[in-house]
Amino acid sequence: MYEGIHHVSLVVTDLKKALYFYEGILGFKADKERPQFGFPGVWYNFGATQLHLIVNPQGKALRGTDDLDSRDGHFAIRVNDIPGLLKKLDHFKVPYHNKPENKTPWHQVYVCDPDGNLIEFNGDRQSDSESDL
């Protein structure tokens, strides 16, 4: 009956700051097929899933903090290059919570966007032989 998550929507208050974070830092590519809804926003595609950013200055879904708390509400994006992600975050001085060893079978990295939306990036753990290269 359920096939997967179609999209996740996040409230943002400043589209210019959000675009810099998601496109300028993370390198996401905007979906040009987003309809004109009468309010600003952007869509991003990841396989069969989308991320929708919706500008709503009075949004009720904002966390109200940029604390990196992995137990707070978040969504996760699977990545195939955790070392590359960490290098990018370091280059742009984006604070993150790095959890290479945790109770899951994958490496986790948590960041916040400019509005405090919490995002988990996760990927395969490097084996000892890979980390020695």
Side-chain angles (χ1 to χ4, degrees):
M1 177 182 222
Y2 305 105
E3 296 179 8
I5 294 179
H6 180 267
H7 71 270
V8 173
S9 292
L10 298 178
V11 173
V12 299
T13 57
D14 185 324
L15 188 58
K16 186 175 178 180
K17 286 181 181 177
L19 292 176
Y20 177 73
F21 179 77
Y22 287 98
E23 295 177 18
I25 294 175
L26 297 179
F28 292 4
K29 303 291 184 218
D31 180 347
K32 303 296 183 199
E33 301 298 317
R34 179 186 181 271
Q36 293 301 318
F37 289 110
F39 56 86
V42 64
W43 288 358
Y44 300 109
N45 297 310
F46 304 98
T49 305
Q50 293 180 327
L51 171 62
H52 296 181
L53 302 183
I54 299 171
V55 177
N56 185 353
Q58 293 80 35
K60 303 290 188 249
L62 296 172
R63 291 175 60 231
T65 181
D66 60 1
D67 290 345
L68 295 170
D69 181 353
S70 62
R71 295 188 315 166
D72 208 343
H74 65 277
F75 68 100
I77 297 175
R78 188 72 170 176
V79 298
N80 61 16
D81 183 6
I82 291 286
L85 172 69
L86 294 173
K87 185 175 179 181
K88 181 179 289 207
L89 296 175
D90 287 338
H91 174 77
F92 286 101
K93 297 178 176 46
V94 174
Y96 58 87
H97 182 51
N98 189 18
K99 296 177 72 174
E101 300 297 328
N102 57 76
K103 293 184 179 183
T104 71
W106 51 83
H107 185 148
Q108 298 171 309
V109 178
Y110 290 87
V111 303
C112 284
D113 75 2
D115 283 290
N117 293 302
L118 188 62
I119 306 164
E120 172 189 333
F121 293 97
N122 66 49
D124 293 334
R125 288 191 175 122
Q126 284 189 303
S127 69
D128 290 336
S129 61
E130 289 175 311
S131 61
D132 291 338
L133 296 177

